[in-house]
């Protein structure tokens, strides 16, 4: 039998590729990368708009911060009205912290506004988090973050605070019979033949069954694997350093060093040192 590209791929990686879903960064990245049509299809369903036209689409875009934490954005898109869209895929509830969204907005805005340009030139922005599960446990398909001013109109409604940034959480558990319910179903299945939308199924098949697509996926899976390993190593080192610092503080407590001196030397918060003292 003639050898194929699949014969030279680690079986474990092939199994990983087979199990991937669109809710996984690895597959989502290649399916939507540079594909304006697929990205437009996605945003139209998320916003329930048929008139939206995407002109730019990128995935895994790095936004660098010379003075602090940089971010890598899952999907960045722009429409004909220069409205920007940042779509994030999150399987972990931890990754959807409101302060993360705040930081994403800050990074996007700081890279958008040109020098000496008026703040009104900032484009409208949508930050959309697609979550694997129902974060707020209220069984709603979409959770909109509405910003208001503490001023009521004649009907008793609070006036909107319109800063041009629209924040949405998508409930990945939602399975309604509408377009969004079908989209969330497609994001959650590894089987292209089970998908409702052919525009997504076709690309998933390509990256799971076609030799060229599988080769691309192998590179992505290996790259993500290396990144996860590096992150795990980094966390392990940081945890080791933290544990060593705690042991140093305990030894100093045993030797009756002043608490303020221990805090100054170890850089641990005073209240944490006081808790350690109670444990001895």
């Amino acid at each position: 039998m003639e050898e194929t590209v699949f014969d030279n791929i680690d079986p474990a990686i092939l199994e990983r590729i087979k199990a991937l879903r669109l809710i996984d960064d690895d597959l989502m990245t290649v399916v939507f990368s540079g594909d304006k049509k697929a990205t437009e299809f996605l945003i139209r369903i998320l916003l329930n708009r048929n008139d939206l036209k995407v002109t730019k689409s990128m995935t895994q875009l790095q936004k660098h911060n010379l003075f602090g934490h940089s971010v890598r954005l899952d999907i960045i898109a722009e429409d004909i009205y220069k409205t920007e869209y940042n779509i994030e895929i999150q399987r972990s509830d931890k990754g959807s912290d409101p302060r993360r969204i705040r930081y994403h907005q800050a990074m996007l805005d700081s890279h958008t506004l040109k020098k000496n340009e008026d703040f009104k030139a900032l484009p409208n922005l949508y930050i959309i988090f697609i979550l694997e599960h129902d974060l707020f446990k209220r069984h709603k398909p979409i959770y909109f973050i509405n910003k208001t001013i503490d001023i009521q109109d004649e009907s008793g409604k609070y006036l909107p605070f319109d800063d041009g940034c629209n924040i949405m959480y998508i409930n990945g558990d939602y399975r309604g019979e509408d377009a969004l319910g079908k989209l969330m179903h497609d994001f959650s299945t590894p089987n292209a033949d089970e998908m409702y939308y052919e525009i997504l199924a076709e690309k998933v098949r390509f990256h799971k069954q076609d030799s060229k697509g599988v080769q691309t996926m192998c590179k992505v899976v290996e790259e993500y694997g290396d990144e996860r390993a590096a992150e795990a190593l980094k966390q392990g080192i940081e945890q080791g350093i933290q544990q060593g610092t705690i042991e140093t503080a305990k030894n100093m407590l045993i030797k009756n060093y002043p608490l303020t001196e221990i805090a100054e030397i170890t850089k641990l918060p005073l209240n944490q040192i006081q808790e350690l003292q109670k444990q001895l």
Side-chain angles (χ1 to χ4, degrees):
M1 183 180 294
E2 186 179 351
E3 188 178 76
T4 68
V5 66
F6 298 96
D7 297 318
N8 298 315
I9 297 175
D10 185 341
I13 292 181
L14 284 176
E15 284 301 310
R16 168 64 179 158
I17 292 172
K18 183 179 178 181
L20 286 174
R21 306 163 299 161
L22 287 172
I23 199 70
D24 296 304
D25 280 345
D26 314 50
L27 184 59
M28 179 280 300
T29 293
V30 295
V31 166
F32 291 99
S33 181
D35 191 329
K36 292 185 290 186
K37 184 177 180 182
T39 305
E40 179 178 289
F41 175 81
L42 172 64
I43 297 175
R44 282 186 172 195
I45 292 179
L46 295 178
L47 269 61
N48 192 26
R49 285 181 53 185
N50 293 322
D51 61 331
L52 192 141
K53 184 68 175 177
V54 166
T55 56
K56 296 180 183 177
S57 175
M58 294 170 284
T59 59
Q60 299 304 317
L61 181 66
Q62 191 85 15
K63 293 288 186 181
H64 297 282
N65 182 357
L66 295 176
F67 306 102
H69 188 77
S70 298
V71 295
R72 187 166 67 176
L73 308 174
D74 286 345
I75 300 176
I76 288 291
E78 183 177 292
D79 67 17
I80 57 174
Y81 300 107
K82 303 300 181 181
T83 298
E84 293 186 348
Y85 303 87
N86 170 213
I87 303 171
E88 295 294 314
I89 311 296
Q90 282 298 319
R91 296 186 59 189
S92 169
D93 290 349
K94 182 181 178 182
S96 55
D97 187 281
R99 286 174 176 78
R100 179 178 181 180
I101 292 180
R102 170 183 162 186
Y103 197 74
H104 276 218
Q105 179 182 353
M107 290 295 287
L108 286 163
D109 287 346
S110 65
H111 283 77
T112 299
L113 199 66
K114 297 178 182 178
K115 188 176 181 179
N116 298 324
E117 199 170 20
D118 191 275
F119 291 112
K120 291 183 178 180
L122 278 173
N124 288 329
L125 171 65
Y126 283 83
I127 299 179
I128 306 171
F129 271 55
I130 300 177
L131 307 176
E132 184 171 17
H133 300 298
D134 186 354
L135 177 65
F136 301 104
K137 313 297 183 185
R138 294 294 186 271
H139 312 296
K140 297 180 64 174
I142 302 176
Y143 298 95
F144 296 94
I145 307 303
N146 298 312
K147 303 172 187 178
T148 59
I149 306 172
D150 190 18
I151 302 173
Q152 294 176 313
D153 61 17
E154 295 178 354
S155 64
K157 293 183 179 180
Y158 287 103
L159 298 180
F161 179 78
D162 185 12
D163 62 356
C165 181
N166 308 276
I167 300 170
M168 301 161 56
Y169 287 96
I170 309 298
N171 175 9
D173 283 329
Y174 179 64
R175 293 294 183 275
E177 291 300 318
D178 57 354
L180 181 61
K182 293 176 180 179
L183 180 69
M184 290 302 96
H185 166 274
D186 286 4
F187 263 70
S188 300
T189 178
N191 188 350
D193 294 333
E194 294 179 352
M195 291 183 171
Y196 287 102
Y197 297 115
E198 188 57 31
I199 186 174
L200 301 179
E202 181 181 357
K203 298 205 70 174
V204 170
R205 284 193 195 95
F206 173 75
H207 289 292
K208 289 193 175 195
Q209 300 174 18
D210 184 90
S211 59
K212 291 183 179 179
V214 171
Q215 285 179 306
T216 300
M217 281 307 309
C218 285
K219 294 177 182 177
V220 171
V221 169
E222 289 172 353
E223 178 184 338
Y224 270 74
D226 291 342
E227 288 183 4
R228 293 185 185 109
E231 183 62 27
L233 177 61
K234 178 183 176 183
Q235 291 178 0
I237 292 172
E238 289 175 349
Q239 289 172 1
I241 293 172
Q242 176 71 2
Q243 188 58 41
T245 302
I246 290 173
E247 290 302 319
T248 298
K250 286 181 178 179
N251 289 333
M252 295 179 74
L253 284 168
I254 292 172
K255 295 177 181 179
N256 294 318
Y257 276 76
L259 300 189
T260 54
E261 186 175 341
I262 298 174
E264 183 179 352
I265 293 173
T266 64
K267 307 302 181 184
L268 291 173
L270 185 60
N271 61 348
Q272 185 176 358
I273 294 171
Q274 291 170 336
E275 287 299 316
L276 291 173
Q277 187 179 43
K278 295 176 183 177
Q279 297 171 15
L280 294 176

